[in-house]
Amino acid sequence: MVRIGICDDEKEVQKEIERLCKNRQGIKMYCFDNAQSVLEIKEKLDILFLDIELGEMDGILLKDKLEEKEIVTMIVFVTSHKEVMEQAFGKKTRGFLVKPIVEKRFYTILDKCMKEVEYVYPILLSAGSKITSNDI
């Protein structure tokens, strides 16, 4: 099961990403309307679709905080502000989507991220030990 988070203060954007994700199997969705709620999640997210303009804490600052934590594996920025994309680069950043979202571009990025999740997803061995698929 791939855990995907959507952090955007625009409900329409959340619903659009949610709708697009439903065309893929094996996804569990989490929606957030502010950055602080992402930092408080108890489960690890494999992919986070993250808006840049969020209010009190913007997506760039959240990305910086997430770089040091293990709660999010990959970040895809969703923004209408192309001029700040350079600031959004980081070790967890996997792509950028410009609003309004173009479906073909969305699926290109989602599928790339999902393949990466499958590659590092832990495999439980019969003896109870765990390895990641990239260890094989």
Side-chain angles (χ1 to χ4, degrees):
M1 181 74 54
V2 178
R3 294 170 305 269
I4 295 179
I6 305 165
C7 184
D8 200 306
D9 53 355
E10 296 178 54
K11 292 291 183 197
E12 315 82 54
V13 175
Q14 280 186 12
K15 287 179 183 175
E16 176 67 4
I17 294 173
E18 218 172 351
R19 180 188 70 77
L20 293 168
C21 285
K22 286 182 180 176
N23 289 325
R24 296 293 186 265
Q25 302 237 335
I27 292 176
K28 184 174 182 181
M29 304 291 302
Y30 301 84
C31 290
F32 311 95
D33 57 9
N34 64 70
Q36 188 60 41
S37 57
V38 174
L39 292 172
E40 294 169 358
I41 190 168
K42 302 295 182 218
E43 288 191 57
K44 183 175 181 176
L45 297 173
D46 297 305
I47 305 165
L48 177 64
F49 288 94
L50 178 59
D51 187 17
I52 290 180
E53 276 194 11
L54 286 170
E56 288 183 32
M57 184 189 316
D58 68 18
I60 305 292
L61 181 56
L62 176 59
K63 181 253 330 170
D64 292 341
K65 290 180 181 258
L66 292 172
E67 295 282 335
E68 304 306 317
K69 297 180 180 282
E70 295 297 319
I71 57 175
V72 172
T73 303
M74 292 173 259
I75 297 170
V76 176
F77 281 97
V78 182
T79 185
S80 52
H81 299 282
K82 295 179 190 178
E83 68 277 4
V84 295
M85 284 186 185
E86 191 174 299
Q87 298 170 7
F89 279 100
K91 65 183 179 185
K92 295 184 180 197
T93 304
R94 295 299 187 272
F96 301 91
L97 293 168
V98 178
K99 295 177 188 177
I101 296 170
V102 175
E103 278 191 37
K104 185 176 180 180
R105 174 90 173 121
F106 177 85
Y107 287 123
T108 298
I109 291 174
L110 176 63
D111 292 343
K112 178 181 123 187
C113 289
M114 288 184 70
K115 282 180 185 169
E116 189 173 336
V117 169
E118 290 170 8
Y119 182 69
V120 297
Y121 221 75
I123 299 169
L124 187 59
L125 302 174
S126 58
S129 302
K130 280 197 235 183
I131 62 170
T132 60
S133 53
N134 62 352
D135 290 333
I136 298 173

